[in-house]
């Protein structure tokens, strides 16, 4: 079932990777808005869920977040993390940098032990204000499914110009303080393989990780229904083998099966 999240606050939910997560959705509550159109996205294809409502304003986000934090402070549970995610790419919000500042202030006031995470496809890291905002959060979790442009066009499907080498350069510029997140899967889409678990995909990706030197690598596979038919999970054995190769580079790696 396609997931369209409330806005601007949803949860808390239990995240496979992040623990008790309070979601922050900066995108409209009635549809999807993203600079990618991934064939595996739990929110569906962009064309099928075009929003009619506006994005929440900075003030609306701050007000809703503070109300929820007061409730959680009184009733629990305490969040492990505030996660910017939801119906697409959070860094598309024009006030994203200022909202990050607001969130950090509220976090420090109500739950100073919680982390602030952003799940991003990294397309907006080329904008200096977004890049700087991502440097201020605890966990900037940046997508890099592969470094092959043809695979990116077929699977991640950017809806604007996308230069993977430029994105890798921006990830390097985080100075070993970013988290790289990669989806591994198998199967076919439109008659073409989408498997990226073989050496022809993994070895160039590992070479990119050596350049980026991320603080952590998160690898995962399909967990929910996908809008494209024919996609299959990577196996536990495949993910473990890839994770071992990441760790051989001296990098921390977590796996969500």
């Amino acid at each position: 079932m396609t997931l369209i999240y409330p806005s601007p606050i949803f949860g808390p939910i239990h995240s496979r990777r992040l623990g008790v997560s309070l979601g922050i959705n900066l995108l409209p509550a009635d549809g999807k808005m993203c600079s990618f159109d991934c064939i595996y996205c739990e929110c569906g294809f962009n064309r099928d869920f075009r929003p009619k409502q506006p994005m929440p304003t900075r003030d609306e986000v701050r007000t809703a977040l503070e109300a929820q934090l007061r409730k959680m402070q009184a009733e629990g549970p305490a969040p492990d993390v505030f996660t910017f995610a939801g119906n697409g790419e959070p860094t598309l919000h024009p006030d994203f940098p200022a909202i990050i500042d607001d969130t950090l202030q509220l976090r420090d006031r109500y739950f100073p032990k919680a982390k602030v995470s952003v799940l991003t496809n990294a397309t907006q890291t080329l904008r200096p204000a977004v890049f700087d905002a991502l440097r201020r959060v605890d966990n900037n979790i940046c997508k890099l499914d592969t470094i092959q442009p043809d695979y990116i066009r077929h699977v991640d499907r950017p809806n604007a110009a996308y230069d993977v080498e430029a994105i890798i350069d921006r990830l390097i510029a985080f100075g070993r303080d970013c988290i790289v997140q990669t989806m591994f899967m198998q199967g076919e889409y439109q008659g073409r393989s989408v498997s990226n678990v073989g050496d022809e995909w993994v070895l160039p990706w590992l070479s990119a990780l050596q350049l980026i030197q991320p603080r952590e690598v998160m690898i995962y596979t399909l967990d929910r229904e996908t809008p494209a038919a024919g996609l299959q999970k990577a196996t536990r054995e495949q993910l473990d083998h890839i994770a071992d190769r990441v760790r051989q580079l001296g990098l921390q790696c977590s796996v969500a099966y």
Side-chain angles (χ1 to χ4, degrees), residues 16-237:
R16 285 189 294 169
R17 288 158 284 167
L18 303 173
V20 178
S21 172
L22 181 64
I24 304 173
N25 177 20
L26 302 185
L27 302 167
D30 65 335
K32 182 187 173 193
M33 185 177 294
C34 196
S35 49
F36 274 4
D37 194 15
C38 298
I39 63 174
Y40 56 78
C41 181
E42 65 186 25
C43 296
F45 288 132
N46 293 353
R47 67 174 182 263
D48 296 328
F49 298 95
R50 299 198 182 279
K52 297 181 176 60
Q53 297 176 12
M55 296 180 183
T57 66
R58 175 186 177 181
D59 286 344
E60 287 170 343
V61 175
R62 182 183 178 93
T63 298
L65 177 58
E66 185 162 21
Q68 180 64 24
L69 295 181
R70 286 177 174 170
K71 179 180 179 182
M72 294 175 78
Q73 195 174 59
E75 303 173 9
D80 296 309
V81 62
F82 302 169
T83 305
F84 284 83
N87 301 339
E89 175 52 42
T91 62
L92 291 176
H93 196 292
D95 289 329
F96 176 77
I99 291 171
I100 288 294
D101 289 339
D102 293 342
T103 302
L104 292 171
Q105 292 171 6
L106 291 171
R107 183 275 307 272
D108 292 346
R109 183 183 307 168
Y110 290 96
F111 292 100
K113 294 182 180 179
K115 305 296 185 183
V116 175
S117 297
V118 180
L119 300 179
T120 175
N121 61 26
T123 55
Q124 304 303 302
T125 56
L126 301 177
R127 296 169 53 202
V130 170
F131 178 81
D132 291 342
L134 289 171
R135 294 190 75 169
R136 295 196 293 275
V137 303
D138 300 289
N139 301 314
N140 47 17
I141 304 172
C142 301
K143 176 186 295 294
L144 185 67
D145 286 342
T146 180
I147 68 165
Q148 279 90 338
D150 186 57
Y151 186 93
I152 293 167
R153 285 191 294 269
H154 188 59
V155 172
D156 294 332
R157 307 198 308 170
N159 54 35
Y162 180 86
D163 182 346
V164 67
E165 297 298 334
I167 297 300
I168 289 171
D169 285 343
R170 295 309 280 164
L171 299 185
I172 293 170
F174 280 117
R176 301 192 177 193
D177 194 27
C178 72
I179 297 171
V180 169
Q181 176 183 255
T182 302
M183 163 69 77
F184 287 101
M185 62 180 177
Q186 304 182 93
E188 291 187 350
Y189 175 63
Q190 294 181 339
R192 291 175 52 189
S193 171
V194 297
S195 174
N196 61 340
V197 297
D199 281 355
E200 68 271 32
W201 306 102
V202 174
L203 292 177
W205 172 78
L206 289 170
S207 295
L209 294 182
Q210 285 184 293
L211 295 173
I212 297 166
Q213 288 292 304
R215 171 161 50 93
E216 182 182 349
V217 179
M218 292 180 170
I219 66 174
Y220 68 124
T221 192
L222 305 174
D223 185 50
R224 298 187 175 98
E225 183 178 343
T226 61
L231 310 185
Q232 301 169 14
K233 292 170 70 81
T235 67
R236 180 178 290 265
E237 291 75 20

